[in-house]
Amino acid sequence: MICADTLPESQAVLETGLSRGIPTEVRLVHADPLQRFRVDRGQRDELERFIDSMIERKRRGEKIHTSEAILNYQRSLLRGEHVEWTCMAGYKLFFVSAQGKFWICSMVHTDKHIMDVTLDDLYANYRKKSCQKGCGVYCAVSASLLVEKPAQVLGKEIVARAKRIPSMFRRSLTPDTDKATHGAIANPDGTHEMNGSTKSGPSAHDPVTLRQSV
């Protein structure tokens, strides 16, 4: 989680993951439903530059796991910009506590048991919520934006991931592959080897005797 204390570590985590080809995600710290921050959020300019850099790198095809929709949303949170969306928490996704209680999201809890929840209860949560302004439950925001704007959200994600294909292809040409190719050239009869044996199979020029059946 990115905040004043963790910004250098968050950058290091991102670089470490990406350098190893691992899809990596670091997310901006968020306020609670009462708009309170429990830690120092950090300097807006520094945080915004970090998020902008992730957007740019994702567009280049690097394995930034966070969707561009969420990165843009986080940048809007930093700028205090209004984002038009309808929270789908409790409708398209919800949480279940260890005691089996139905939670609308990780931050908004109810005392209703999951087995008592009806379809009407779920549909009732398809609405704008008083707590969604500045919401940092990014799984809820992500699902909501995806349902509301599927073409926009998926379109950018598909384009970004498609740019990974050339680098994936280059990495597939490993030294082991080159070694195997060299071995095949050095041993032109290798195609005649059978069942892992070092002995060759019969050549096309070797005579084959067919025994007449009795």
Side-chain angles (χ1 to χ4, degrees), residues 4-6 10 12-13 24 28 41 44 55-56 78 84 89 93 96 101 120 129 147 180 183 209:
D5 289 340
T6 64
S10 296
V13 167
T24 307
L28 185 68
R41 192 179 191 184
R44 171 186 153 181
I55 292 173
E56 181 60 31
L78 286 172
E84 183 60 35
L93 80 161
V96 181
K101 297 300 179 66
D120 288 339
K129 300 178 177 66
V147 171
T209 302

Side-chain angles (χ1 to χ4, degrees), residues 61 158-172:
I158 289 170
V159 169
R161 293 191 180 224
K163 291 181 179 178
R164 298 179 186 177
I165 294 175
S167 61
M168 291 170 63
F169 178 75
R170 285 194 298 270
R171 280 197 299 274
S172 70

Side-chain angles (χ1 to χ4, degrees), residues 19-109:
S19 68
R20 288 163 170 74
I22 302 170
T24 307
E25 178 172 43
V26 290
R27 291 180 170 183
L28 185 68
V29 68
H30 60 83
D32 65 17
L34 297 178
Q35 300 302 306
R36 298 174 303 188
F37 285 93
R38 306 299 177 91
V39 297
D40 181 2
R41 192 179 191 184
Q43 293 296 318
R44 171 186 153 181
D45 290 345
E46 291 182 355
L47 298 173
E48 193 170 329
R49 279 196 297 271
F50 186 29
I51 290 175
D52 284 342
S53 71
M54 286 193 283
I55 292 173
E56 181 60 31
R57 295 175 74 172
K58 185 176 182 70
R59 289 176 177 175
R60 292 202 303 263
E62 295 190 51
K63 291 187 175 182
I64 305 292
H65 188 63
T66 314
S67 70
E68 186 170 334
I70 289 297
L71 290 170
N72 286 328
Y73 174 80
Q74 291 178 113
R75 185 170 57 185
S76 294
L77 288 183
L78 286 172
R79 295 175 176 177
E81 297 173 343
H82 172 72
V83 178
E84 183 60 35
W85 65 294
T86 299
C87 178
M88 303 283 177
Y91 170 54
K92 287 296 185 181
L93 80 161
F94 55 82
F95 290 69
V96 181
S97 75
Q99 291 74 36
K101 297 300 179 66
F102 175 76
W103 291 0
I104 290 175
C105 74
S106 61
M107 303 291 287
V108 181
H109 306 168

Side-chain angles (χ1 to χ4, degrees), residues 33 85-97 100-114 117-118 120-132 135 137-141 143-144:
W85 65 294
T86 299
C87 178
M88 303 283 177
Y91 170 54
K92 287 296 185 181
L93 80 161
F94 55 82
F95 290 69
V96 181
S97 75
K101 297 300 179 66
F102 175 76
W103 291 0
I104 290 175
C105 74
S106 61
M107 303 291 287
V108 181
H109 306 168
T110 79
D111 287 326
K112 194 162 191 173
H113 196 276
I114 184 61
V117 174
T118 66
D120 288 339
D121 293 326
L122 298 180
Y123 286 129
N125 287 313
Y126 180 23
R127 57 182 171 80
K128 291 186 182 296
K129 300 178 177 66
S130 60
C131 57
Q132 73 177 58
C135 176
V137 184
Y138 296 120
C139 57
V141 180
S144 301

